[in-house]
């Protein structure tokens, strides 16, 4: 077990390179199961969730591994079924994509219910609704194992009652070979939905409309292996943007798609940060005292729920009051108790936080309660007086590549220490 020890008070300066999008990679990697052929996936972040997925694919009979630091290969030709017997699916949320991919390729799949961050109730009823609409039967056993199977998959119209990233992608995966046309209405529009659809199309699928709220999938007979490059990580980039604002820094964020950053760019500009956009990079710089703003998380193109926690830390460091409303996740303010230990003045319910800035944060020992909360606590440590110890950092390693090295390169005083 390791922890991060952070000495606060440094303004971030310099350049940070952003890796491939975790949430796209963890959809594209299981999507390779759909194809009896070899895929090469480039710009993949070297994070724990990706390593676990490679282990899962090998367990299912695929050949899979890293080619170099950022590329990997998967050859799922010899995979015979998608029944994951072990508990690896409990290690992350995205393991639910095994169900859609297995259903698509083999008309059946099974695994234990997915794990992932504890941010409230995270049902998969919309995934199930989609699978059933295509003709599958779904059974969840009392010990939490989910089985999906179909005699035959036939295209259908599915209206999502909740805008769900996972359900939208899972239905796309299940429908690529389904006979006829599948239409997903009220689909999620996140950049990784588009990226996954582009990957599937590169393998030979026929998917149109990804990135809008209606996605049309014409079933195809065959898919073939391909080489595909994952888009940059919108959430990793947003984390460094917010860290630059919190530390009154001046940084260049490289290898990004500035368009994907708009919900964050807009809020930071409203607060008074300077932002200059270039082709695939941006400069984020502090000019003058920032003003607090109200934030509501929403599905894309709204402000991402995955950046709610870092944003709350930033707001708690400003003079004045602000409100953060959580419009996506069920219960994503648990980490506030950790921030309070550092002196933050925040009242919260499951859905809303009222922040009274500016209480200078002071370093202490805090626990990362989940992945993005962990990133938020690092930012809190960067602006706190004294030393902050962030524990349970295995949550952070699930989704951020070399986070301490990237912050160190920006001048932060942060080190990974093995916990005794
Ligand atoms: C994905 C992201 C996660 C992000 C979230 C919202 C991955 C691996 N994870 O998670 O980082 O925080 O999108 O942008 O891409 N819901 C239902 N029924 C369902 C599915 C979802 O009620 O069948 C609800 C959820 O409880 C949640 C909301 O819909 O309140 C959004 O969930 P969803 O978009 O599905 O998030 P995930 O795919 O779990």
């Amino acid at each position: 077990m390791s922890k991060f020890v952070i000495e606060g008070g440094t303004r971030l300066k310099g350049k940070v390179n952003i890796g491939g999008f975790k949430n796209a990679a963890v959809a594209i990697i299981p999507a390779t199961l759909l194809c009896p052929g070899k895929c090469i996936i480039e710009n993949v972040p070297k994070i724990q969730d990706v390593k676990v997925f490679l282990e899962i694919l090998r367990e299912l009979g695929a050949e899979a591994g890293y080619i170099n630091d950022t590329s990997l290969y998967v050859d799922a030709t010899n995979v015979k079924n998608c029944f994951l017997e072990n508990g690896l699916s409990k290690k992350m949320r995205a393991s639910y994509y095994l169900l859609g991919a297995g259903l698509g390729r083999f008309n059946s799949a099974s695994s234990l219910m997915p794990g992932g961050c504890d941010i409230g109730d995270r049902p998969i009823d919309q995934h199930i609704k989609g699978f059933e609409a295509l003709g599958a039967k779904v059974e969840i056993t009392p010990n939490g194992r989910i089985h999906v199977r179909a005699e035959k998959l036939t295209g259908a119209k599915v209206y999502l009652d909740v805008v769900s990233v996972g359900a939208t992608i899972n239905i796309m995966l299940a429908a690529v070979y389904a006979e006829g046309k599948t239409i997903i209405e009220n689909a999620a529009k996140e950049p990784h939905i588009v990226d996954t659809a582009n990957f599937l199309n590169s393998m030979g699928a026929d998917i149109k409309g990804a990135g809008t709220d209606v996605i049309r999938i014409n079933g195809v007979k065959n898919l073939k292996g391909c080489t595909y490059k994952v888009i940059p990580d919108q959430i990793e980039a947003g984390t460094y943007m917010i860290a630059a604002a919190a530390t009154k820094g001046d940084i260049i964020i490289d290898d990004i798609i500035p368009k994907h950053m708009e919900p964050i760019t807009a809020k930071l500009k409203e607060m008074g940060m300077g932002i200059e956009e270039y082709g695939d990079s941006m400069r984020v710089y502090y000019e003058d005292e920032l003003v607090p703003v109200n934030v509501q998380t929403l599905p894309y193109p709204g402000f991402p729920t995955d950046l709610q926690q870092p944003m709350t830390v930033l707001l708690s460091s400003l003079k004045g009051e602000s409100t953060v409303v959580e419009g996506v996740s069920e219960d994503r303010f648990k980490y506030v108790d950790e921030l309070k230990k550092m002196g933050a003045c925040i009242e919260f319910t499951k859905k809303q936080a009222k922040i009274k800035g500016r209480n200078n944060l002071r370093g202490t020992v805090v626990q990362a309660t989940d992945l993005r909360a962990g990133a938020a606590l690092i930012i809190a440590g960067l602006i706190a007086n004294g030393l902050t110890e962030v524990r349970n950092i295995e949550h952070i390693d699930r989704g951020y590549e070399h986070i301490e090295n990237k912050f160190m390169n920006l001048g932060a005083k942060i080190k990974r220490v093995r916990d005794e």
Side-chain angles (χ1 to χ4, degrees):
M1 294 288 250
S2 299
K3 61 189 177 192
F4 287 134
V5 178
I6 305 158
E7 187 183 332
T10 313
R11 294 183 171 195
L12 297 185
K13 279 201 165 46
K15 190 173 90 165
V16 60
N17 292 78
I18 299 305
F21 199 169
K22 163 191 168 283
N23 286 347
V26 296
I28 288 170
I29 293 169
T32 60
L33 285 169
L34 284 164
C35 157
K38 184 172 177 180
C39 293
I40 293 178
I41 318 293
E42 299 170 344
N43 202 30
V44 180
K46 231 174 185 172
I47 51 175
Q48 201 52 32
D49 275 11
V50 165
K51 290 176 192 163
V52 172
F53 242 130
L54 289 181
E55 219 178 308
I56 290 176
L57 293 187
R58 286 192 289 258
E59 179 72 25
L60 292 172
E63 289 174 34
Y66 282 94
I67 300 170
N68 56 42
D69 250 10
T70 55
S71 301
L72 52 82
Y73 70 95
V74 180
D75 187 339
T77 308
N78 294 326
V79 176
K80 297 284 179 279
N81 64 50
C82 209
F83 303 139
L84 185 69
E85 300 300 338
N86 63 29
L88 283 174
S89 57
K90 300 297 287 177
K91 292 203 169 184
M92 71 178 125
R93 179 79 180 153
S95 59
Y96 49 38
Y97 293 134
L98 292 172
L99 300 172
L103 195 54
R105 169 123 174 242
F106 303 108
N107 281 3
S108 63
S110 108
S111 75
L112 287 172
M113 287 290 273
C117 292
D118 177 13
I119 50 176
D121 202 14
R122 299 177 85 183
I124 57 163
D125 56 302
Q126 299 304 304
H127 306 233
I128 293 173
K129 179 179 174 177
F131 296 154
E132 288 178 341
L134 297 173
K137 294 222 176 322
V138 181
E139 186 202 348
I140 301 176
T141 64
N143 64 353
R145 177 163 284 280
I146 175 157
H147 297 273
V148 290
R149 63 178 72 85
E151 286 297 315
K152 179 182 175 217
L153 293 171
T154 310
K157 194 179 260 194
V158 187
Y159 177 88
L160 295 181
D161 303 313
V162 182
V163 180
S164 160
V165 169
T168 302
I169 292 179
N170 237 342
I171 298 166
M172 287 198 307
L173 299 178
V176 282
Y177 291 119
E179 195 176 296
K181 181 177 278 194
T182 297
I183 300 176
I184 309 173
E185 292 181 334
N186 200 27
K189 297 181 278 204
E190 269 68 4
H192 45 304
I193 307 276
V194 181
D195 210 33
T196 308
N198 286 343
F199 168 69
L200 293 169
N201 285 342
S202 300
M203 289 203 296
D206 181 359
I207 302 174
K208 296 192 179 76
T212 75
D213 53 14
V214 181
I215 299 178
R216 292 183 166 77
I217 303 141
N218 285 309
V220 294
K221 294 256 181 284
N222 300 300
L223 295 180
K224 58 181 187 328
C226 69
T227 297
Y228 189 81
K229 184 173 178 186
V230 175
I231 54 168
D233 196 320
Q234 175 211 28
I235 304 301
E236 187 193 19
T239 304
Y240 291 104
M241 288 172 77
I242 293 170
T247 62
K248 303 182 179 172
D250 184 349
I251 67 171
I252 301 283
I253 304 181
D254 214 355
D255 299 330
I256 56 165
I257 298 175
K259 171 88 186 145
H260 292 168
M261 306 316 303
E262 272 174 5
I264 304 103
T265 304
K267 273 295 155 194
L268 291 182
K269 278 188 172 168
E270 205 179 315
M271 295 166 82
M273 280 299 283
I275 296 186
E276 289 166 10
E277 288 178 14
Y278 309 104
D280 60 359
S281 65
M282 61 167 60
R283 177 180 168 214
V284 183
Y285 57 101
Y286 182 85
E287 292 186 292
D288 206 350
E289 186 161 342
L290 301 181
V291 293
V293 292
N294 295 327
V295 175
Q296 171 158 17
T297 68
L298 288 170
Y300 188 81
F303 192 90
T305 171
D306 284 355
L307 291 172
Q308 177 260 101
Q309 295 136 310
M311 192 65 171
T312 300
V313 171
L314 167 59
L315 290 169
S316 75
S317 72
L318 306 181
K319 197 155 82 185
E321 294 189 7
S322 51
T323 304
V324 176
V325 175
E326 180 50 72
V328 177
S329 303
E330 192 58 37
D331 188 6
R332 206 167 198 170
F333 286 112
K334 288 179 191 152
Y335 69 102
V336 169
D337 282 328
E338 300 301 302
L339 271 184
K340 283 181 160 183
K341 290 183 194 162
M342 299 178 74
C345 190
I346 304 175
E347 282 172 19
F348 68 102
T349 60
K350 274 189 175 183
K351 284 289 177 193
Q352 178 167 307
K354 283 197 178 298
I355 303 157
K356 277 205 185 101
R358 150 201 310 164
N359 283 43
N360 286 335
L361 299 181
R362 52 180 186 273
T364 185
V365 177
V366 286
Q367 314 288 335
T369 50
D370 64 69
L371 165 58
R372 308 300 172 185
L377 290 171
I378 291 179
I379 297 174
L382 293 176
I383 56 175
N385 289 322
L387 287 184
T388 300
E389 268 188 39
V390 182
R391 297 199 172 159
N392 289 349
I393 63 172
E394 62 279 5
H395 287 297
I396 305 174
D397 291 334
R398 278 191 39 226
Y400 287 92
E401 184 177 23
H402 306 314
I403 192 165
E404 72 272 33
N405 295 347
K406 289 188 181 187
F407 272 124
M408 263 191 290
N409 286 340
L410 293 171
K413 293 182 180 146
I414 172 170
K415 59 183 178 198
R416 184 183 289 257
V417 176
R418 267 199 84 73
D419 226 346
E420 296 312 318

